[in-house]
């Protein structure tokens, strides 16, 4: 029974990922560039409002890091999430890296892509 539930969860996640990537229009609404992250906001053609978060090492720019995301005090693993409309607090965490905190406002039919580059944390003896 657990195997069936796991397959259903993975299938649902894959369908959601396909919808997010297929529904966004190629035209960017706006981009926010920060020293450590870039937010691209698109308008979705479909019914879904979602966010995709990609985290990379700051030195090896193409090295993907499997970070933990905290959205409104809920710890999440993965890269694609469905969020309700309104204000959300996002924190991106990874061991030995500096946390990134972002305040997001999700509007109707938003499809948001965040690319974050995590810097090494300062070590204090």
């Amino acid at each position: 029974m657990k195997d069936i539930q796991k397959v259903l969860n993975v299938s649902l996640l894959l369908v959601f990922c396909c919808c997010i990537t297929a529904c966004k229009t190629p035209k960017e609404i706006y981009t926010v560039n920060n020293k450590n992250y870039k937010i691209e906001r698109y308008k979705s053609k479909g019914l879904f409002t979602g966010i995709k978060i990609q985290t990379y090492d700051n030195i090896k720019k193409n090295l993907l890091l499997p970070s933990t995301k905290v959205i409104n005090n809920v710890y999440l693993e993965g890269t694609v999430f469905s969020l309700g409309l309104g204000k959300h607090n996002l924190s991106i965490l990874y061991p030995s890296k500096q946390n990134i905190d972002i305040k997001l406002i999700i509007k109707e039919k938003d499809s948001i892509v965040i690319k974050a580059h995590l810097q090494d944390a300062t070590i204090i003896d």
Side-chain angles (χ1 to χ4, degrees):
M1 190 65 172
K2 286 186 178 183
D3 291 335
I4 294 172
Q5 184 65 32
K6 189 180 264 189
V7 169
L8 289 174
N9 287 342
V10 170
S11 298
L12 182 60
L13 180 63
L14 289 173
V15 168
F16 182 73
C17 289
C18 291
C19 288
I20 288 291
T21 56
C23 292
K24 68 181 182 185
T25 61
K27 184 177 178 191
E28 233 173 89
I29 301 302
Y30 77 86
T31 300
V32 173
N33 278 312
N34 178 292
K35 181 172 117 178
N36 297 325
Y37 62 87
K38 178 180 178 180
I39 300 174
E40 297 173 336
R41 185 181 305 262
Y42 301 89
K43 284 298 176 185
S44 173
K45 292 179 183 176
L47 301 174
F48 295 104
T49 298
I51 182 171
K52 180 177 182 180
I53 304 168
Q54 299 170 315
T55 52
Y56 300 91
D57 184 75
N58 193 47
I59 295 172
K60 296 178 183 176
K61 301 288 186 190
N62 294 326
L63 177 63
L64 280 167
L65 299 176
S67 62
T68 298
K69 288 76 173 179
V70 182
I71 301 175
N72 300 329
N73 297 322
V74 176
Y75 286 77
L76 303 166
E77 298 292 331
T79 58
V80 179
F81 308 98
S82 178
L83 294 176
L85 304 180
K87 297 178 183 179
H88 299 278
N89 294 314
L90 165 66
S91 294
I92 301 171
L93 314 172
Y94 190 82
S96 76
K97 300 287 185 183
Q98 292 179 6
N99 298 346
I100 294 179
D101 296 313
I102 302 171
K103 294 190 182 297
L104 290 173
I105 297 176
I106 307 292
K107 298 176 183 173
E108 189 173 347
K109 294 190 178 183
D110 273 353
S111 181
I112 297 173
V113 177
I114 297 176
K115 295 179 182 176
H117 288 86
L118 303 174
Q119 295 186 0
D120 290 338
T122 305
I123 299 173
I124 301 174
D125 288 327

